[in-house]
Amino acid sequence: MLLNLQYQLDHNPKQHAQILEDFWKRVELMGTPIIENYDEQHSRIVFLWKGAQHNVRLIGGPSNDHEWLTRLPNTDIWFKESIIDHRYIGSYSFAVDLPNLEGYLSNYCPHLNPKLKESRMQRRAVIQVQRIDPFNKNTYLASDDTSGLRNENFVALKDAPPFIDPKQYPNVKQPQLQEFVLDSKILNNSRKIQIYQSKAKKNQSYITAIFFDGQQYNELLNVPKALDILVEQGQLPPIQAIFVSPPNDQERPKELTPNVKFSAFFSDELMPWIQKNAPAKVYSKKTVLLGSSLGGLSSAYLALENPNLISHVVPLSGSFWWQNAATDLPNGMSKIIRDKTSQPKQHWFITANSYESSRNNNELSILETSPIVAADLKNTGHDVHYQSYIGGHSYAVWQVALQDALKHFFAHK
């Protein structure tokens, strides 16, 4: 498509403006990203942005990094092309005209120069100029959303794994949730907790699922409606979900990195509060702890610390690259697992995705460490299912994986 466009521009210089106008009209009708069949297993996917002045960066998508788009010479077209597996599912947005902090962007192709290191401040500058793709109407949130959550575009190729997408069920009523504030004496802070409960037949007991980063799972992915549909279809037994949010973005990494203080909050404050306030009885043999990224790391740690409270664990893309000390090999979580003795058997569903490899080309990445953690758990007597999806570090994959995990544990039981 772009090669043909370049040919037209090169051979019809007097019609340059009209050719570009016609191109963007076609893009608007087709929608983006542009997806073309490449071979039996792969597609060509082309991300497009119109009209940046200096630079465009792809946030998310089929990559383990923020990829730079290339400008088609003498046009307002910025593009990034990838060849990806037909099973890919993911989300993305763009960072448009990034500010040049500390001179990093003044260098020629800085991302190709191994002597240059992008500072954390420069890398996080993408958040300041983040934009969604105006040619892709498939977004997590409405354009007028005021939740403060980061919106992204969604894309799934033809062989992407199936899942219940609440947006595809407009006639299903949105379930109502109870909302609370939990004050912690141990942590000296407060957090929002939202509680969902599905319908149940008489005398049916409930699964209890506890989600870290609860606001994202509740409001970004609309997990309550998805659970309602799964229960109604008979794919899951009755379930109550507890959505636990951090006090703020600054406290989140402090809390969700394994530590004694948050563990005390979990066992001495959060779980007793849930047992008291959950609408149905909480059964220790039917309680699931779920989290993604740092939430996945924390879920694994807290489950091992509290096997009498948590029976099932779902670390989604857990940050198992974490080390408490440089001597924690091959990673911090493996050391914790190996230090445990006589641990009661728990049920685990661990995931990592194909684009979650390390940007530093070392072994401490989510993709490399997750199967090691899974093997360590299995070797110490736990029931473990490990699964890798074609995707990146994205809620797009996690919404599939969490449904797969719950069905793996509880379907037809």
Side-chain angles (χ1 to χ4, degrees):
M1 182 178 181
L2 291 178
L3 284 174
N4 181 55
L5 175 67
Q6 185 69 70
Y7 180 87
Q8 292 182 52
L9 291 170
D10 290 344
H11 290 81
N12 301 279
K14 293 183 179 180
Q15 301 177 38
H16 187 277
Q18 187 61 52
I19 291 170
L20 286 179
E21 183 180 343
D22 292 344
F23 170 79
W24 285 117
K25 285 181 179 178
R26 290 199 305 274
V27 168
E28 188 170 9
L29 287 173
M30 295 170 59
T32 50
I34 306 299
I35 300 170
E36 304 168 342
N37 194 61
Y38 182 76
D39 61 26
E40 290 184 0
Q41 190 175 347
H42 299 89
S43 297
R44 175 185 286 108
I45 186 168
V46 183
F47 297 91
L48 295 171
W49 185 264
K50 180 181 180 181
Q53 294 298 309
H54 304 291
N55 56 65
V56 185
R57 208 165 182 177
L58 180 67
I59 308 173
S63 175
N64 67 348
D65 203 352
H66 302 328
E67 302 286 351
W68 296 95
L69 274 67
T70 300
R71 188 173 189 170
L72 201 64
N74 302 313
T75 74
D76 58 356
I77 300 169
W78 295 78
F79 70 96
K80 173 64 183 177
E81 176 184 306
S82 298
I83 305 300
I84 58 177
D85 192 293
H86 290 323
R87 295 170 291 173
Y88 174 81
I89 185 170
S91 59
Y92 70 97
S93 58
F94 296 103
V96 181
D97 289 328
L98 277 159
N100 185 14
L101 305 178
E102 304 169 347
Y104 176 77
L105 299 183
S106 299
N107 295 276
Y108 178 74
C109 293
H111 60 295
L112 299 179
N113 188 342
K115 295 181 180 180
L116 295 173
K117 182 173 177 59
E118 184 178 18
S119 70
R120 178 172 173 78
M121 183 184 300
Q122 178 67 65
R123 184 170 177 79
R124 288 185 61 80
V126 297
I127 299 172
Q128 303 173 26
V129 290
Q130 187 250 359
R131 303 285 187 273
I132 59 172
D133 184 347
F135 301 111
N136 181 352
K137 304 305 180 186
N138 197 349
T139 56
Y140 287 128
L141 303 169
S143 57
D144 58 352
D145 180 78
T146 58
S147 66
L149 299 174
R150 192 176 80 181
N151 201 4
E152 288 189 308
N153 299 95
F154 176 81
V155 60
L157 299 193
K158 63 181 183 179
D159 292 333
F163 69 102
I164 295 296
D165 181 357
K167 291 181 180 178
Q168 302 302 316
Y169 296 81
N171 296 325
V172 174
K173 185 179 179 181
Q174 182 66 35
Q176 297 298 308
L177 276 66
Q178 294 177 282
E179 190 165 308
F180 304 87
V181 174
L182 173 58
D183 299 316
S184 170
K185 293 181 180 179
I186 293 173
L187 299 175
N188 193 31
N189 60 27
S190 301
R191 70 197 62 241
K192 180 168 68 174
I193 297 182
Q194 298 157 304
I195 298 181
Y196 154 83
Q197 183 186 28
S198 73
K199 294 179 180 178
K201 295 178 182 178
K202 189 176 181 180
N203 298 324
Q204 281 187 300
S205 60
Y206 277 80
I207 302 161
T208 301
I210 303 166
F211 289 81
F212 285 142
D213 294 313
Q215 188 178 8
Q216 278 78 2
Y217 281 100
N218 176 25
E219 300 177 28
L220 195 70
L221 299 183
N222 200 357
V223 167
K225 187 173 178 179
L227 294 177
D228 247 14
I229 296 165
L230 286 164
V231 173
E232 181 66 26
Q233 292 181 351
Q235 297 192 58
L236 284 179
I239 184 168
Q240 57 185 357
I242 318 296
F243 298 97
V244 182
S245 296
N248 52 57
D249 290 341
Q250 290 70 41
E251 290 299 311
R252 178 181 180 271
K254 299 176 187 177
E255 292 187 347
L256 296 183
T257 301
N259 66 88
V260 173
K261 199 170 183 179
F262 192 73
S263 180
F265 159 75
F266 181 82
S267 60
D268 299 343
E269 291 184 328
L270 178 61
M271 288 305 297
W273 185 94
I274 290 173
Q275 291 162 348
K276 179 181 178 180
N277 291 277
K281 183 177 179 180
V282 177
Y283 294 91
S284 60
K285 298 299 184 183
K286 297 176 67 175
T287 299
V288 194
L289 187 57
L290 305 95
S292 47
S293 196
L294 279 176
L297 173 68
S298 187
S299 295
Y301 168 69
L302 294 171
L304 290 170
E305 291 292 303
N306 299 277
N308 59 318
L309 299 174
I310 303 298
S311 56
H312 296 72
V313 199
V314 186
L316 304 171
S317 301
S319 299
F320 295 136
W321 44 261
W322 170 80
Q323 293 174 293
N324 188 46
T327 54
D328 291 351
L329 298 174
N331 59 77
M333 185 52 59
S334 286
K335 183 178 186 302
I336 290 173
I337 295 166
R338 292 168 183 177
D339 286 346
K340 294 286 182 184
T341 57
S342 303
Q343 189 79 1
K345 181 178 179 179
Q346 293 167 304
H347 306 279
W348 295 72
F349 191 104
I350 298 176
T351 74
N353 305 320
S354 60
Y355 292 100
E356 292 184 308
S357 55
S358 171
R359 292 189 298 273
N360 299 317
N361 295 317
N362 62 34
E363 295 179 354
L364 287 176
S365 75
I366 290 170
L367 185 59
E368 279 77 23
T369 56
S370 293
I372 295 173
V373 169
D376 288 334
L377 287 163
K378 194 168 186 178
N379 289 337
T380 52
H382 293 282
D383 169 44
V384 183
H385 176 85
Y386 172 76
Q387 187 160 332
S388 183
Y389 295 84
I390 305 298
H393 199 67
S394 166
Y395 280 101
V397 189
W398 300 333
Q399 68 183 334
V400 178
L402 76 89
Q403 293 182 24
D404 287 350
L406 292 173
K407 289 188 290 184
H408 174 77
F409 291 145
F410 302 110
H412 311 301
K413 294 181 181 179

